[in-house]
Amino acid sequence: MDFVSGLRCRECGRTYPAEALHVCDYCFGPLEVTYDYQRVAATMSRERIEAGPRTIWRYADLLPVSDAAPVDLGAGFTPLVRADRLAAELGLGEVWIKDDTANPTGSFKDRVVSVALTKARQLGFKIAACASTGNLANSVAAHAARAGMESVVLIPHDLETAKVTMTSVFGGRVFAVEGSYDDVNRLCAELASEQPTWAFVNVNVRTYYAEGSKTLAFEVAEQLGWQTPDHVVVPIGSGSQLTKVAKGFAELWQVGLLDEEPSVRISGAQAEGCSPVATAFAEGTDAIRPVKPATIAKSLAIGNPADGWYALDAIRRSGGSCASVTDAEVIEGILLLARTEGIFAETAGGVTIATLAKLAGEGVIRPDERVVAMVTGHGLKTVEALSGTVGPTATIAPTLDAFAAAMGAEYELTDEPAPRSA
Ligand SMILES: *Cc1c(COP(=O)(O)O)cnc(C)c1O
Ligand SMILES: [Zn+2]
């Protein structure tokens, strides 16, 4: 049994039953899942959660579908890593990395897809489909395989090799579309109206899909001992993740899982080559002007973000900020995180870390704040971005002389014995 009370239009407030609906019939506003929070509060407890599976499904009471055997590859409950070396480099105090590179297909998208396909299967859909900037494609293809569903995935033709391979390997159909993500998304919206029997995870079941991102907030709070951070940095593609992180913290308070009312500043991170939300924030306007993306952060390259305005609104209400960083800064961000904490992030993670560094430098993120940065995808997905930047220190012949020559002045012979355990 789930605790969903229905769907509600985010614009006009009209309510709908919890079916495969995503826009309001009256005003075309997006729909949002609503819950009976009193019943959730009566059921959900810290103990009940802590006794649950080590996946997003430990928070099933605040997810839009209940299923004893969800479509599950083990998404969620990823490490929250204290990052003291990174914090020291940035002049910050308490910094944590939410390491979503550890998800089954290497990105946070496994959270949303596990929820979307569980609901889709329950609604009777047999085919899973999506428009994707890459990571969603990986995750939909993998979860569809797991669920025994067919998949139809549409991606821009110029994605990173790893993301294309990792989608194709699961046996679904993959279409590389000659156009940008925004072209792919428009094509998918047209397809969705022609193929109402297909579950397009980010079109006709988007309302449910989006709820999966709340688990990022749930986990962060639980992993901090049921406390919330002062500041979180969240990358923005469509803006869905950021709005749901805000909703997640608010819900924990609403159902009585926190001792103190949370006050979390939420800052958005974008790549300069695709920064419609950061631009609107900087200009102090409400209008998000669509752009033509040009950035190595392909997973965030959405020029016309569906939830852009809602993300902007959540940022402003929280007292957070929104910034954009250059591709060179993205690469520096990837290398900084890798060098200080041993975590290899994809370009979107580089965007988050570079934005964290930028906002710390500007004094927007302060040393007295407990900060969490959402690192949402694995670096092996975007190795192209680093070609020419990193590689072997030297290529050598298999001899001691060649090694010593390549080490150069740093290489000294020693008389000291090897360290031994006590
Ligand atoms: C999709 C994606 C995002 C952005 O999520 P939105 O909900 O579209 O804003 C961030 N990071 C990675 C790695 C992604 O794949
Ligand atoms: Zn409406």
Side-chain angles (χ1 to χ4, degrees), residues 9-14 16 23-31:
C9 173
R10 280 199 270 184
E11 291 299 324
C12 74
R14 276 193 174 76
Y16 295 87
V23 285
C24 175
D25 287 343
Y26 291 87
C27 77
F28 300 106
L31 302 182

Side-chain angles (χ1 to χ4, degrees), residues 296-418:
I296 56 169
K298 295 185 183 185
S299 53
L300 304 179
I302 301 182
N304 188 12
D307 290 286
W309 184 84
Y310 297 101
L312 190 60
D313 187 50
I315 290 166
R316 286 185 178 141
R317 280 172 195 278
S318 77
S321 182
C322 191
S324 64
V325 291
T326 64
D327 283 356
E329 290 170 317
V330 171
I331 289 174
E332 280 171 35
I334 292 172
L335 297 177
L336 174 62
L337 180 65
R339 171 165 61 77
T340 54
E341 302 298 341
I343 296 170
F344 184 22
E346 72 145 88
T347 46
V351 169
T352 299
I353 299 301
T355 301
L356 170 72
K358 184 170 186 173
L359 293 177
E362 291 171 355
V364 175
I365 297 177
R366 301 187 311 261
D368 64 319
E369 289 182 302
R370 175 191 267 179
V371 185
V372 173
M374 304 294 189
V375 170
T376 46
H378 199 289
L380 288 177
K381 287 168 172 269
T382 64
V383 283
E384 289 97 330
L386 296 173
S387 68
T389 305
V390 291
T393 304
T395 302
I396 61 167
T399 66
L400 277 174
D401 283 349
F403 180 77
M407 282 288 279
E410 278 178 58
Y411 192 59
E412 287 170 30
L413 295 178
T414 176
D415 296 331
E416 282 176 44

Side-chain angles (χ1 to χ4, degrees), residues 9-337:
C9 173
R10 280 199 270 184
E11 291 299 324
C12 74
R14 276 193 174 76
T15 56
Y16 295 87
E19 291 164 6
L21 302 168
H22 64 114
V23 285
C24 175
D25 287 343
Y26 291 87
C27 77
F28 300 106
L31 302 182
E32 167 125 57
V33 180
T34 57
Y35 299 82
D36 182 341
Y37 289 118
Q38 279 187 340
R39 276 178 53 230
V40 176
T43 304
M44 208 176 187
S45 65
R46 293 178 184 178
E47 295 70 30
R48 181 172 152 90
I49 293 165
E50 286 160 6
R54 297 177 68 81
T55 68
I56 59 167
W57 294 100
R58 67 205 276 107
Y59 310 104
D61 297 336
L62 280 171
L63 292 176
V65 53
S66 151
D67 191 321
V71 179
D72 180 24
L73 288 165
F77 218 64
T78 56
L80 182 71
V81 181
R82 174 86 185 237
D84 287 337
R85 286 160 48 78
L86 176 64
E89 290 236 4
L90 300 179
L92 292 174
E94 188 179 337
V95 174
W96 299 80
I97 300 296
K98 183 60 172 158
D99 183 9
D100 252 20
T101 70
N103 275 309
T105 73
S107 88
F108 104 98
K109 290 297 194 305
D110 291 328
R111 299 175 181 276
V112 283
V113 171
S114 180
V115 172
L117 291 198
T118 301
K119 184 66 186 182
R121 191 178 59 182
Q122 192 181 75
L123 289 166
F125 288 100
K126 304 276 189 297
I127 298 178
C130 70
S132 173
T133 56
N135 286 322
L136 185 63
N138 293 172
S139 190
V140 166
H143 283 85
R146 175 83 179 153
M149 295 170 86
E150 284 182 48
S151 65
V152 179
V153 165
L154 290 91
I155 52 176
H157 66 107
D158 60 350
L159 281 191
E160 299 93 344
T161 311
K163 287 181 185 165
V164 178
T165 305
M166 199 176 166
T167 306
S168 313
V169 74
F170 298 110
R173 275 165 290 179
V174 183
F175 297 92
V177 178
E178 291 164 342
S180 68
Y181 171 79
D182 297 285
D183 296 320
V184 177
N185 197 35
R186 189 170 19 78
L187 173 59
C188 254
E190 288 167 17
L191 266 176
S193 54
E194 291 212 338
Q195 294 290 1
T197 61
W198 296 8
F200 287 85
V201 300
N202 52 346
V203 184
N204 54 350
V205 290
R206 184 177 181 84
T207 315
Y208 302 100
Y209 151 100
E211 292 288 290
S213 287
K214 296 188 305 188
T215 58
L216 275 166
F218 299 159
E219 288 175 20
V220 164
E222 182 181 352
Q223 288 168 320
L224 290 174
W226 296 107
Q227 293 184 342
T228 51
D230 301 311
H231 208 139
V232 294
V233 182
V234 185
I236 298 176
S238 71
S240 175
Q241 178 184 168
L242 188 144
T243 59
K244 296 299 171 174
V245 166
K247 185 180 181 185
F249 287 127
E251 283 185 344
L252 288 181
W253 171 246
Q254 205 156 357
V255 303
L257 287 165
L258 301 174
D259 299 327
E260 274 176 54
E261 182 164 8
S263 157
V264 185
R265 298 171 72 201
I266 302 178
S267 288
Q270 293 207 294
E272 206 171 275
C274 184
S275 50
V277 180
T279 302
F281 182 85
E283 292 176 352
T285 65
D286 276 351
I288 310 247
R289 258 179 291 117
V291 300
K292 233 179 158 27
T295 169
I296 56 169
K298 295 185 183 185
S299 53
L300 304 179
I302 301 182
N304 188 12
D307 290 286
W309 184 84
Y310 297 101
L312 190 60
D313 187 50
I315 290 166
R316 286 185 178 141
R317 280 172 195 278
S318 77
S321 182
C322 191
S324 64
V325 291
T326 64
D327 283 356
E329 290 170 317
V330 171
I331 289 174
E332 280 171 35
I334 292 172
L335 297 177
L336 174 62
L337 180 65

